[in-house]
Amino acid sequence: MTNLKGKVAFVTGSAQGIGKAIAVAYAKAGANLVISDINLELAQQTAKEIEALGVKTMAIKTNVADGADVDASVAEIVKTMGRIDILVNNAGITKDNLLIRMKKEEWDAVLSVNLTGVFNCTKAVGTLMMKQRSGKIVNIASIVGQMGNFGQANYAATKGGVIAFTKTVAKELASRGVNCNAIAPGFIQTAMTDKLTPEVKEKMMAQIPAGKLGTPEDIANAALFLSGPESDYITGQVLAVNGGMYM
């Protein structure tokens, strides 16, 4: 079983959904948690829940798209928690539209959070990890970044970008003892997929050899592996968690 006792994990967009599931898995493995989200009230609520698992937590509001805000958050985390051993770039948004109807604002908004946000957080935390000569970075990409998807040119571009970014960061930081990997989730059961009609869900299931949606915990388990000592010799990789939908 993965042991993260004493480690400090900074998970962006972790007040709910997949980010929260990852934070809970880390806490159960003994890590202290930084719950970061644009929604501070929800982040505080989640931090309080996770603290009940017997670890130290802090909640912080971070706009990952704003480099200065990220730098300020990282400084505050180090002041409060002492260090950062694990970074999970999970924060992300969607603004779906067909390419020919997509507004520049929809394109820019998704790129600023999903790609520039990953750059901002990785640069700030990666600098610390290089000095520590240790660290694990896990970037949440998507199956959409590997195979594309109707109405998601902006989202797919960012997730494909995250995959390429992961491989480059892995090359640059490997000599300093820092691993950087990505997880590419397939269709995961979330509040968003719960709203889909039975017909849409049926079509979706037909594309998944495993015949079911994944859960946030499936992604959390992958993140846990990539953050523990068991993955020390793994870097620059994309772990697909998609039930066989894309191989």
Side-chain angles (χ1 to χ4, degrees):
M1 183 179 171
T2 300
N3 184 357
L4 299 180
K5 191 168 178 58
K7 301 289 186 184
V8 176
F10 172 27
V11 186
T12 69
S14 52
Q16 58 188 331
I18 289 172
K20 181 177 179 179
I22 291 171
V24 168
Y26 284 171
K28 287 179 178 177
N32 298 315
L33 265 301
V34 179
I35 305 301
S36 167
D37 207 274
I38 198 73
N39 184 333
L40 180 58
E41 189 178 339
L42 198 55
Q44 290 170 331
Q45 184 181 318
T46 297
K48 193 173 180 181
E49 287 175 32
I50 290 175
E51 196 172 35
L53 296 171
V55 298
K56 184 179 179 182
T57 65
M58 74 175 282
I60 193 164
K61 180 178 180 178
T62 311
N63 177 6
V64 297
D66 183 336
D69 196 38
V70 169
D71 290 343
S73 287
V74 169
E76 186 65 27
I77 292 165
V78 172
K79 183 180 175 183
T80 304
M81 306 291 268
R83 57 191 286 123
I84 299 173
D85 300 291
I86 301 162
L87 167 67
V88 181
N89 285 305
N90 169 73
I93 62 170
T94 58
K95 288 189 180 294
D96 297 350
N97 215 338
L98 292 175
L99 175 64
I100 57 171
R101 295 178 188 163
M102 187 172 288
K103 297 173 184 173
K104 177 73 160 44
E105 295 77 29
E106 292 170 329
W107 173 267
D108 289 343
V110 173
L111 260 71
S112 68
V113 174
N114 297 9
L115 193 53
T116 302
V118 173
F119 163 78
N120 288 336
C121 293
T122 305
K123 184 178 180 183
V125 177
T127 302
L128 293 176
M129 289 179 170
M130 286 174 73
K131 290 175 183 173
Q132 293 170 185
R133 289 195 163 272
S134 67
K136 296 288 180 89
I137 300 170
V138 179
N139 297 324
I140 306 301
S142 170
I143 190 172
V144 171
Q146 298 173 307
M147 60 183 280
N149 198 30
F150 252 89
Q152 290 194 310
N154 48 5
Y155 187 77
T158 62
K159 295 305 184 177
V162 164
I163 289 170
F165 179 81
T166 297
K167 293 176 181 292
T168 298
V169 171
K171 284 179 184 282
E172 293 185 4
L173 303 190
S175 65
R176 302 299 180 93
V178 181
N179 299 60
C180 183
N181 292 288
I183 298 171
F187 285 109
I188 305 301
Q189 193 170 337
T190 61
M192 187 175 70
T193 53
D194 286 343
K195 294 174 185 174
L196 297 174
T197 65
E199 292 78 21
V200 171
K201 281 186 179 179
E202 196 176 322
K203 284 181 181 177
M204 194 184 288
M205 296 294 189
Q207 301 176 62
I208 305 170
K212 62 180 180 178
L213 298 181
T215 67
E217 288 71 30
D218 289 325
I219 309 306
N221 289 335
L224 190 60
F225 167 69
L226 291 175
S227 303
E230 297 87 350
S231 62
D232 281 352
Y233 200 54
I234 298 172
T235 196
Q237 302 305 306
V238 182
L239 181 52
V241 185
N242 62 29
M245 187 176 177
Y246 179 83
M247 302 182 191

